[in-house]
Amino acid sequence: MLGVIAAALGGPEVLQVTELPEPEAQPGQVVVRVRAVCVHPADVAATTGQIPRGPVMPPFLPGWDIAGEVASVGADTTNFRVGDRVVGMIPWYLTRGAPGGYAEFVAADADWLVPLPDELDFAAAATVPLNAQTAHQGLELLSLSLPPAGSSILVTGASGGVGGFAAQLALQGGYRVLAQASDGDEEWVRGLGAQEVIPRSTDLATLRPVTALFDAVPLGEEAAAAVENRGVVVTTRPTPAINPARGVRQDLQLIKLDRKLLAELVEQVATGRLRTRVAATMPLAEAADAHRRVLAGGLRGKVVLTPG
């Protein structure tokens, strides 16, 4: 089978298309024929060695989120059959690229996967697991000390995957949502239901202070300036500490695979209660170009690789 490995640490040029052995399903696993794998900033960070817990030494396969069909089933696996449509998240923070999703076939633990409804296509499905779970779990961190009723929340990066889901889920949770959109992308973010949409060029320090911040970009101090004293900040990557005199609680959200939650979120996307979007689909062999597009920014949705 074809796969794409990071042959060294560096930019997109380190990604190489190569022939790999086709995996076999071990007990408790299924082999997924991958139809779509989402390209995340986390993949770019892995290839450049800029990930939590230190760099993964090449060669390795990038790729967290996959959607496809079950090609074979291992012993003791009873919840999937050959031909089932599935979507799931490879817990890359554990596998460290063995396996990764940039391949035509992936041997995946059955617990990484959930059924994929017929109403949801492979490419859109592949945008859900990492982004939507991060958003949901980050909002859970906020809610530990901040009741949603009457609280205002600023979501940065609401044009993106995590931020877009965070804005929608915050609305479902009862927050009043201010959503920051990329310049020129305000209409999409407005369609997510936010009570107020602000352009990326806005000086956030000039806003009326909000109770909480979900910093999905993250912007760090620039965004924290919009939070009232004794408020709450959740970020998706480490950011500088906020002046302790302000009494702001600061949390870092790192993804944890939650199969029950993933199934619920996929169902919401399939039924239209949550929205996602794909900027482009590209062949697996063009993974390096896909990384270049992510690095260039300005995307309206996620880039998805389509093996096969």
Side-chain angles (χ1 to χ4, degrees):
M1 70 168 186
L2 290 183
V4 175
I5 64 167
L9 293 180
E13 70 281 354
V14 306
L15 294 175
Q16 295 183 4
V17 181
T18 188
E19 189 72 28
L20 298 171
E22 190 169 317
E24 295 183 3
Q26 301 302 309
Q29 291 187 327
V30 303
V31 170
V32 178
R33 182 188 298 274
V34 180
R35 301 298 189 184
V37 53
C38 192
V39 179
H40 289 298
D43 299 328
V44 176
T47 63
T48 57
Q50 299 174 340
I51 58 173
R53 296 189 291 168
V56 176
M57 290 298 103
F60 60 80
L61 277 79
W64 292 67
D65 294 348
I66 58 173
E69 300 145 340
V70 174
S72 63
V73 177
D76 303 324
T77 303
T78 59
N79 46 345
F80 293 110
R81 296 180 299 178
V82 172
D84 285 351
R85 287 162 44 91
V86 292
V87 58
M89 189 187 90
I90 298 169
W92 211 93
Y93 54 91
L94 298 175
T95 73
R96 314 291 271 182
Y102 285 24
E104 292 182 309
F105 293 90
V106 170
D109 289 4
D111 289 343
W112 300 350
L113 306 169
V114 299
L116 174 57
D118 291 339
E119 297 82 3
L120 190 56
D121 66 66
F122 293 123
T127 70
V128 176
L130 177 61
N131 291 321
Q133 286 186 103
T134 298
H136 191 283
Q137 292 168 0
L139 290 169
E140 285 184 329
L141 274 178
L142 283 174
S143 68
L144 290 175
S145 62
L146 181 68
S151 297
S152 56
I153 181 170
L154 168 64
V155 178
T156 67
S159 294
V162 173
F165 281 119
Q168 295 173 83
L169 291 167
L171 286 162
Q172 290 184 11
Y175 290 98
R176 183 182 184 278
V177 176
L178 287 75
Q180 182 199 51
S182 297
D183 292 337
D185 205 23
E186 293 86 358
E187 193 59 35
W188 162 260
V189 175
R190 194 169 290 112
L192 302 180
Q195 284 91 347
E196 185 175 346
V197 177
I198 54 176
R200 173 67 181 88
S201 54
T202 301
D203 181 355
L204 300 181
T206 65
L207 298 176
R208 181 177 180 178
V210 295
T211 317
L213 166 68
F214 192 113
D215 195 5
V217 175
L219 296 173
E221 294 179 4
E222 176 187 344
V227 181
E228 64 189 29
N229 291 342
R230 293 176 296 281
V232 185
V233 171
V234 168
T235 61
T236 55
R237 289 199 305 275
T239 56
I242 298 170
N243 182 351
R246 296 187 58 200
V248 174
R249 200 186 99 213
Q250 193 172 6
D251 288 315
L252 172 64
Q253 168 56 34
L254 296 176
I255 185 69
K256 300 178 291 292
L257 176 59
D258 182 333
R259 187 170 185 264
K260 182 175 182 292
L261 171 62
L262 176 57
E264 293 171 355
L265 293 167
V266 168
E267 181 64 23
Q268 286 207 54
V269 176
T271 57
R273 287 175 288 165
L274 287 173
R275 299 176 65 190
T276 187
R277 59 180 176 171
V278 175
T281 58
M282 303 175 66
L284 178 65
E286 297 179 13
D289 285 338
H291 276 222
R292 291 184 183 98
R293 293 189 68 167
V294 171
L295 285 166
L299 293 167
R300 300 292 187 255
K302 304 298 290 188
V303 176
V304 175
L305 300 173
T306 55

